[in-house]
Amino acid sequence: MLHIATVHYGSPRWIEIQKRYLREHISVPYQTWTSLNQIDPAYSAHFDRVIDQTGRHSDKLNHLAIEIAHEASDSDLLMFLDADAFPIADPMPAITDGLANAALIAVRRAENNGDRQPHPCFCVTTVGAWRKLGGDWSPGYRWSTPQGRRVSDVGGNLLRQLELTQTPWVPLLRSNRRSPDPILFSVYADIVYHHGAGSRAQAFTRGHNNLAPTPLAVPNAPVVGEMVKLANRGRRRVWRRSNEKRQARESQRVYDRIRSGGSDWLSEFM
């Protein structure tokens, strides 16, 4: 049995889309587990199990895994899936191959400024392996970006658990041939799509911030230097607002194409 843990928050806009793609592409028996914060309880009908919970996104995923592990056997499969993510092809061949040699397969968002950690937009392991690993999606453990900054994010503690126990995992990388955004609207390993903006109109990431205009050089002269710093902040603010508006337009446009049905929308990426 495959148990799918997905958290929906604030908006039901992806629920029926995700359900449709799961039904089309999951070739084994499965159950769906979720929580529906700030969403009409009527949407519970789309899931097998709905758990009442609160907290951070990572906390909810961890709690869903606890609930699943209480009922499932060690050999059952455990899939984590973001609300705005779904398979676009049968993932079972990749899952079977990956878990034959590793304890876990997961998206790695290397395009997001070199992120190193497994990402819960799509991750599959066994219930037994998750128990043994002490799986934890919380941020905490930090790693260095290419710019030398120390950062953490969801999946940070899971990365450290894999490192400390020398547990191998299979990263699934972005496979888009093209995209209207360098981070969002991503296809991974040609089997799963992650919209990336979720229930929000835009999702500005570390990878997006790296594309900001180069700041003007700040002279040593105190007064002029402060003016240049102010100008740099203004330029960055204008740039970010412009890109957030573009993101919102693209997010809605792509969402509308997906919601209309069919798979023609994939030609934009594949």
Side-chain angles (χ1 to χ4, degrees):
M1 174 67 74
L2 168 64
H3 301 269
I4 302 173
T6 180
V7 171
H8 289 268
Y9 174 83
S11 170
R13 68 200 306 253
W14 291 100
I15 289 176
E16 294 183 57
I17 292 171
Q18 187 181 67
K19 181 180 179 180
R20 167 164 45 102
Y21 278 89
L22 288 172
R23 187 173 58 246
E24 289 179 2
H25 296 298
I26 299 296
S27 58
V28 298
Y30 65 90
Q31 289 185 333
T32 51
W33 299 64
T34 194
S35 63
L36 300 173
N37 293 120
Q38 299 181 28
I39 293 175
D40 187 336
Y43 282 94
S44 298
H46 293 281
F47 302 91
D48 296 301
R49 299 292 296 276
V50 178
I51 307 298
D52 185 15
Q53 55 179 355
T54 188
R56 300 176 302 175
H57 182 66
S58 57
D59 296 333
K60 294 173 184 176
L61 291 174
N62 289 341
H63 181 216
L64 286 176
I66 290 171
E67 296 282 346
I68 292 168
H70 182 69
E71 298 185 11
S73 65
D74 281 353
S75 60
D76 282 356
L77 293 175
L78 173 60
M79 176 187 291
F80 298 95
L81 198 62
D82 269 2
D84 60 340
F86 47 82
I88 56 172
D90 185 355
M92 292 312 301
I95 291 170
T96 300
D97 289 347
L99 296 185
N101 301 297
L104 178 146
I105 72 169
V107 161
R108 178 190 164 208
R109 299 179 79 192
E111 68 278 7
N112 188 33
N113 201 29
D115 272 2
R116 295 174 48 204
Q117 83 282 21
H119 195 279
C121 67
F122 181 81
C123 172
V124 185
T125 183
T126 64
V127 171
W130 188 258
R131 282 194 184 111
K132 181 179 179 181
L133 191 61
D136 178 11
W137 284 110
S138 302
Y141 174 64
R142 299 197 298 178
W143 59 91
S144 293
T145 69
Q147 298 79 27
R149 292 183 58 233
R150 300 290 288 174
V151 299
S152 187
D153 208 335
V154 61
N157 287 352
L158 180 57
L159 172 65
R160 188 55 175 164
Q161 288 166 311
L162 292 164
E163 291 177 345
L164 289 172
T165 58
Q166 298 183 338
T167 301
W169 68 288
V170 178
L172 305 178
L173 300 178
R174 196 179 203 233
S175 56
N176 292 45
R177 310 299 185 263
R178 49 191 179 272
S179 175
D181 188 273
I183 312 295
L184 309 182
F185 321 125
S186 294
V187 174
Y188 294 95
D190 293 343
I191 60 171
V192 63
Y193 172 77
H194 181 218
H195 195 73
S199 303
R200 298 166 291 171
Q202 69 278 327
F204 233 70
T205 69
R206 289 187 298 276
H208 289 112
N209 281 325
N210 285 342
L211 303 175
T214 303
L216 302 171
V218 179
N220 290 327
V223 175
V224 177
E226 288 303 315
M227 293 176 64
V228 172
K229 288 179 183 178
L230 185 62
N232 281 336
R233 287 194 293 270
R235 291 175 68 226
R236 185 179 183 87
R237 188 161 51 248
V238 169
W239 170 83
R240 175 157 181 158
R241 286 176 179 169
S242 173
N243 278 270
E244 285 177 339
K245 290 179 181 178
R246 176 192 58 79
Q247 265 191 13
R249 289 194 302 269
E250 288 297 325
S251 178
Q252 188 62 47
R253 181 185 66 81
V254 175
Y255 173 80
D256 288 341
R257 291 196 67 193
I258 295 172
R259 186 181 58 177
S260 69
S263 57
D264 289 348
W265 63 274
L266 278 169
S267 62
E268 183 173 339
F269 307 99
M270 305 292 285

